[in-house]
Amino acid sequence: MPNASAAVTACQVTYTVQNDWGAGFTANVHIANLGDPVNGWTLSFAFGGSQQITNGWSATWTQSAHSVSAASLSWNSALGTGGTTDIGFNASYSGGNAAPASFALNGVACTGPNQPPAVSLTSPAAGTHYSAPASIPLAASASDLDGSVARVEFYNGTTLLGTATTAPYTFTWSNVPAGSYSLTARAFDNAGASATSTAAAVTVDPPTGPGIVASVSSLSVPEGGTATFGVHLSAQPTGSVTVTVGRTTGDTDLTVNAGASLSFTTANWSTNQTVTLADAEDPDQVNGTATFTASATGYTSAVVTANEADNDLSPYTQRFLQLYTKTHDPANGYFSPQGIPYHSVETLIVEAPDYGHETTSEAFSYWLWLGGDLRPGGRRLGAVQQRLGDDGAVHDPVPRRSADQLVLQPRQAGHLRARERPAEPVPLAAGHERPGRPGPAGRRAAEHLRHARHLRHGVAA
């Protein structure tokens, strides 16, 4: 007996009357499995008139009144995804001979390919403004014509914020710092199909009141170890203020080990108090990331991003990740508020030390090489490992310093300098190698663009 309990998620049936002689007819039934593979199936349908099957083939046929079932045989019981089979029968009738209205395979209605759900983001409205630290209520409506909605996920860009599994589909995004955000809702049905809503752009405006200040905006936490940062208030309070620190999004291996609740007074408000983050051991080789928020009633929150330094990676790769975090931390003074590295852009534009070749500082070369995708889980991690020798030396085309010795140091007025000589100069295109002063501004701009392209291919590729 075929296993009629095997489930499919989607199927399609084509019913064709091949011959009709007035008192009887021959029909072919084409079955297509559009869902998961099945081994053993039963097709069921009902006649709307007096049709009575007299004999059939390629299945075990049974009929009770109007209801008909056809069970698979041993040779056609297996239907893989996309698999098809044809069965047929002869039947007698009087009066009309309408085709059955619907078919089901193992109890699942055969309505054709699974259709994705419909979803729309109902809150917030596009263009809404909030004040930091913001709590943004997200809500979505979702439906599925040929199944059911399994869950709705809410995103900021490509970052998952939260999930709702039952209607009404809602989620509150809390402690959102100042910035611009693109929010969407993505719905999944019971068959795994999904659809994404139209994005809603919202803005969180900077606060105007007192705030909480963190000593860093990001830091690396070694797997199985801890790392610390400081927290203080931006202005003297009128009384005691309690600041709470907790993970708001990201890898659950990263936690607050100490300093989850900090008390500030009119005397110690400007003194950093220490928050210790810990990272639990795990078997994977992925560098997780989590966001921690320090908040207090009436104060602007401070947000710190913690990057896991997975101890399953090579020590050289871990060192590169540490330097990446250090270079990109605004607190270290390597970047302007607009995200531009100090001094390096000046060097890129104006320095031509050997009359026809332009170069830039080792700091800028290093930043370019890392800056594309080298972050926890980034695609350039493999490139880092490929350019590190067994001795830990960083080989061409990156700066010729070992990974543990390449240290960027702030110079006066927030400028950068590298500890050793600059990277190898990159020649400009032919025709621009003649000694002398630069030509008109337009030609200089073109040269600079060409140099940036060469630098990108030669140093950052």
Side-chain angles (χ1 to χ4, degrees), residues 255-286:
T255 58
V256 177
N257 180 263
S261 180
L262 308 172
S263 180
F264 291 92
T265 67
T266 56
N268 72 348
W269 63 272
S270 62
T271 302
N272 272 331
Q273 295 192 40
T274 301
V275 177
T276 303
L277 303 184
D279 184 30
E281 290 280 359
D282 57 39
D284 62 46
Q285 296 184 355
V286 178

Tab-separated table of all heavy atoms in Angstrom, residues 255-286:
chain	number	residue	atom	x	y	z
A	255	THR	N	28.965	39.618	25.788
A	255	THR	CA	28.118	40.025	26.903
A	255	THR	C	28.828	41.062	27.763
A	255	THR	O	30.045	41.258	27.666
A	255	THR	CB	27.754	38.821	27.796
A	255	THR	OG1	28.969	38.216	28.273
A	255	THR	CG2	26.960	37.786	27.002
A	256	VAL	N	28.034	41.731	28.630
A	256	VAL	CA	28.606	42.634	29.629
A	256	VAL	C	29.019	41.794	30.829
A	256	VAL	O	28.186	41.179	31.492
A	256	VAL	CB	27.594	43.709	30.053
A	256	VAL	CG1	28.196	44.595	31.141
A	256	VAL	CG2	27.174	44.557	28.859
A	257	ASN	N	30.317	41.783	31.107
A	257	ASN	CA	30.845	40.990	32.208
A	257	ASN	C	30.831	41.768	33.526
A	257	ASN	O	30.607	41.204	34.600
A	257	ASN	CB	32.267	40.539	31.879
A	257	ASN	CG	32.899	39.710	32.981
A	257	ASN	OD1	33.641	40.236	33.796
A	257	ASN	ND2	32.610	38.413	32.995
A	258	ALA	N	31.046	43.071	33.442
A	258	ALA	CA	31.031	43.927	34.628
A	258	ALA	C	30.730	45.347	34.172
A	258	ALA	O	31.084	45.749	33.067
A	258	ALA	CB	32.364	43.883	35.371
A	259	GLY	N	30.078	46.114	35.040
A	259	GLY	CA	29.750	47.497	34.714
A	259	GLY	C	28.409	47.645	34.029
A	259	GLY	O	28.188	48.645	33.333
A	260	ALA	N	27.497	46.707	34.237
A	260	ALA	CA	26.180	46.797	33.606
A	260	ALA	C	25.352	47.928	34.214
A	260	ALA	O	24.435	48.441	33.569
A	260	ALA	CB	25.435	45.468	33.733
A	261	SER	N	25.652	48.325	35.451
A	261	SER	CA	24.960	49.434	36.103
A	261	SER	C	26.008	50.338	36.746
A	261	SER	O	26.811	49.896	37.587
A	261	SER	CB	23.984	48.911	37.155
A	261	SER	OG	23.306	49.985	37.792
A	262	LEU	N	26.025	51.610	36.323
A	262	LEU	CA	27.024	52.567	36.789
A	262	LEU	C	26.323	53.747	37.445
A	262	LEU	O	25.337	54.273	36.915
A	262	LEU	CB	27.886	53.058	35.618
A	262	LEU	CG	28.534	51.973	34.743
A	262	LEU	CD1	29.194	52.616	33.525
A	262	LEU	CD2	29.545	51.172	35.543
A	263	SER	N	26.835	54.186	38.590
A	263	SER	CA	26.228	55.297	39.317
A	263	SER	C	27.137	56.522	39.248
A	263	SER	O	28.324	56.458	39.599
A	263	SER	CB	26.005	54.903	40.777
A	263	SER	OG	25.411	55.968	41.490
A	264	PHE	N	26.553	57.638	38.763
A	264	PHE	CA	27.299	58.897	38.660
A	264	PHE	C	26.659	59.940	39.578
A	264	PHE	O	25.433	59.986	39.737
A	264	PHE	CB	27.313	59.399	37.216
A	264	PHE	CG	28.130	58.547	36.291
A	264	PHE	CD1	27.538	57.514	35.577
A	264	PHE	CD2	29.489	58.755	36.138
A	264	PHE	CE1	28.280	56.720	34.723
A	264	PHE	CE2	30.247	57.968	35.283
A	264	PHE	CZ	29.640	56.942	34.583
A	265	THR	N	27.494	60.804	40.144
A	265	THR	CA	27.039	61.855	41.041
A	265	THR	C	27.546	63.202	40.544
A	265	THR	O	28.229	63.299	39.515
A	265	THR	CB	27.556	61.596	42.470
A	265	THR	OG1	28.986	61.740	42.464
A	265	THR	CG2	27.184	60.195	42.939
A	266	THR	N	27.230	64.239	41.321
A	266	THR	CA	27.726	65.571	40.971
A	266	THR	C	29.234	65.671	41.109
A	266	THR	O	29.846	66.613	40.592
A	266	THR	CB	27.059	66.623	41.871
A	266	THR	OG1	27.310	66.282	43.250
A	266	THR	CG2	25.553	66.657	41.633
A	267	ALA	N	29.852	64.674	41.791
A	267	ALA	CA	31.305	64.713	41.999
A	267	ALA	C	32.075	63.881	40.975
A	267	ALA	O	33.151	64.280	40.527
A	267	ALA	CB	31.639	64.235	43.419
A	268	ASN	N	31.538	62.717	40.573
A	268	ASN	CA	32.325	61.815	39.721
A	268	ASN	C	31.798	61.728	38.293
A	268	ASN	O	32.165	60.827	37.549
A	268	ASN	CB	32.370	60.410	40.328
A	268	ASN	CG	31.028	59.689	40.226
A	268	ASN	OD1	30.008	60.306	39.913
A	268	ASN	ND2	31.021	58.397	40.512
A	269	TRP	N	30.921	62.647	37.894
A	269	TRP	CA	30.261	62.559	36.592
A	269	TRP	C	31.228	62.561	35.416
A	269	TRP	O	30.955	61.972	34.364
A	269	TRP	CB	29.268	63.704	36.428
A	269	TRP	CG	29.908	65.059	36.427
A	269	TRP	CD1	30.177	65.839	37.513
A	269	TRP	CD2	30.374	65.785	35.287
A	269	TRP	NE1	30.792	67.005	37.144
A	269	TRP	CE2	30.917	67.006	35.773
A	269	TRP	CE3	30.391	65.538	33.921
A	269	TRP	CZ2	31.462	67.960	34.927
A	269	TRP	CZ3	30.932	66.482	33.074
A	269	TRP	CH2	31.466	67.681	33.565
A	270	SER	N	32.378	63.219	35.544
A	270	SER	CA	33.317	63.343	34.422
A	270	SER	C	34.412	62.284	34.432
A	270	SER	O	35.280	62.273	33.554
A	270	SER	CB	33.966	64.728	34.440
A	270	SER	OG	34.710	64.916	35.650
A	271	THR	N	34.379	61.387	35.427
A	271	THR	CA	35.402	60.341	35.535
A	271	THR	C	34.903	59.050	34.896
A	271	THR	O	33.792	58.584	35.201
A	271	THR	CB	35.752	60.067	37.016
A	271	THR	OG1	36.197	61.283	37.622
A	271	THR	CG2	36.827	59.000	37.123
A	272	ASN	N	35.714	58.486	33.988
A	272	ASN	CA	35.315	57.242	33.333
A	272	ASN	C	35.128	56.118	34.349
A	272	ASN	O	35.978	55.919	35.226
A	272	ASN	CB	36.371	56.804	32.309
A	272	ASN	CG	36.132	57.422	30.950
A	272	ASN	OD1	34.997	57.719	30.587
A	272	ASN	ND2	37.199	57.609	30.188
A	273	GLN	N	34.029	55.419	34.221
A	273	GLN	CA	33.833	54.170	34.936
A	273	GLN	C	33.938	53.031	33.924
A	273	GLN	O	33.541	53.179	32.766
A	273	GLN	CB	32.485	54.144	35.655
A	273	GLN	CG	32.382	55.187	36.751
A	273	GLN	CD	31.173	54.972	37.638
A	273	GLN	OE1	30.844	53.830	37.983
A	273	GLN	NE2	30.506	56.069	38.012
A	274	THR	N	34.466	51.904	34.367
A	274	THR	CA	34.851	50.832	33.444
A	274	THR	C	33.703	49.854	33.195
A	274	THR	O	33.035	49.414	34.133
A	274	THR	CB	36.058	50.057	33.994
A	274	THR	OG1	37.148	50.975	34.165
A	274	THR	CG2	36.480	48.945	33.032
A	275	VAL	N	33.526	49.548	31.917
A	275	VAL	CA	32.613	48.481	31.489
A	275	VAL	C	33.472	47.373	30.891
A	275	VAL	O	34.331	47.636	30.032
A	275	VAL	CB	31.598	48.979	30.446
A	275	VAL	CG1	30.716	47.829	29.967
A	275	VAL	CG2	30.756	50.108	31.025
A	276	THR	N	33.271	46.153	31.345
A	276	THR	CA	34.027	45.008	30.846
A	276	THR	C	33.127	44.128	29.995
A	276	THR	O	32.051	43.708	30.444
A	276	THR	CB	34.598	44.172	32.006
A	276	THR	OG1	35.420	45.012	32.830
A	276	THR	CG2	35.425	42.998	31.482
A	277	LEU	N	33.562	43.877	28.764
A	277	LEU	CA	32.844	42.975	27.866
A	277	LEU	C	33.579	41.645	27.809
A	277	LEU	O	34.813	41.603	27.838
A	277	LEU	CB	32.746	43.570	26.465
A	277	LEU	CG	32.082	44.939	26.332
A	277	LEU	CD1	31.982	45.336	24.858
A	277	LEU	CD2	30.708	44.946	26.970
A	278	ALA	N	32.831	40.555	27.719
A	278	ALA	CA	33.410	39.211	27.627
A	278	ALA	C	32.889	38.527	26.377
A	278	ALA	O	31.769	38.799	25.919
A	278	ALA	CB	33.059	38.386	28.872
A	279	ASP	N	33.719	37.646	25.831
A	279	ASP	CA	33.333	36.873	24.642
A	279	ASP	C	33.489	35.391	24.954
A	279	ASP	O	34.587	34.934	25.292
A	279	ASP	CB	34.193	37.267	23.442
A	279	ASP	CG	33.765	36.553	22.167
A	279	ASP	OD1	32.570	36.238	22.055
A	279	ASP	OD2	34.623	36.311	21.303
A	280	ALA	N	32.395	34.638	24.859
A	280	ALA	CA	32.415	33.209	25.166
A	280	ALA	C	33.074	32.417	24.049
A	280	ALA	O	33.038	32.796	22.873
A	280	ALA	CB	30.992	32.695	25.395
A	281	GLU	N	33.696	31.315	24.417
A	281	GLU	CA	34.278	30.408	23.427
A	281	GLU	C	33.170	29.779	22.590
A	281	GLU	O	32.091	29.446	23.096
A	281	GLU	CB	35.062	29.293	24.132
A	281	GLU	CG	36.346	29.756	24.799
A	281	GLU	CD	37.487	29.908	23.800
A	281	GLU	OE1	37.268	29.626	22.598
A	281	GLU	OE2	38.582	30.301	24.222
A	282	ASP	N	33.441	29.630	21.289
A	282	ASP	CA	32.510	28.913	20.417
A	282	ASP	C	33.322	28.151	19.375
A	282	ASP	O	34.497	28.446	19.151
A	282	ASP	CB	31.509	29.861	19.760
A	282	ASP	CG	32.168	30.964	18.948
A	282	ASP	OD1	33.171	30.689	18.274
A	282	ASP	OD2	31.671	32.096	18.976
A	283	PRO	N	32.714	27.149	18.720
A	283	PRO	CA	33.480	26.302	17.794
A	283	PRO	C	33.662	26.889	16.404
A	283	PRO	O	34.412	26.348	15.612
A	283	PRO	CB	32.643	25.018	17.735
A	283	PRO	CG	31.239	25.482	17.994
A	283	PRO	CD	31.360	26.622	18.971
A	284	ASP	N	32.961	27.996	16.091
A	284	ASP	CA	33.046	28.488	14.716
A	284	ASP	C	34.291	29.343	14.516
A	284	ASP	O	35.027	29.635	15.449
A	284	ASP	CB	31.782	29.270	14.339
A	284	ASP	CG	31.595	30.510	15.207
A	284	ASP	OD1	32.568	31.255	15.401
A	284	ASP	OD2	30.472	30.719	15.706
A	285	GLN	N	34.507	29.734	13.251
A	285	GLN	CA	35.636	30.589	12.895
A	285	GLN	C	35.148	31.930	12.372
A	285	GLN	O	35.801	32.570	11.564
A	285	GLN	CB	36.524	29.897	11.852
A	285	GLN	CG	37.177	28.627	12.359
A	285	GLN	CD	38.134	28.029	11.336
A	285	GLN	OE1	38.252	28.506	10.224
A	285	GLN	NE2	38.829	26.980	11.725
A	286	VAL	N	33.980	32.352	12.860
A	286	VAL	CA	33.380	33.602	12.418
A	286	VAL	C	33.569	34.661	13.485
A	286	VAL	O	33.358	34.401	14.671
A	286	VAL	CB	31.874	33.407	12.132
A	286	VAL	CG1	31.231	34.720	11.724
A	286	VAL	CG2	31.678	32.358	11.041
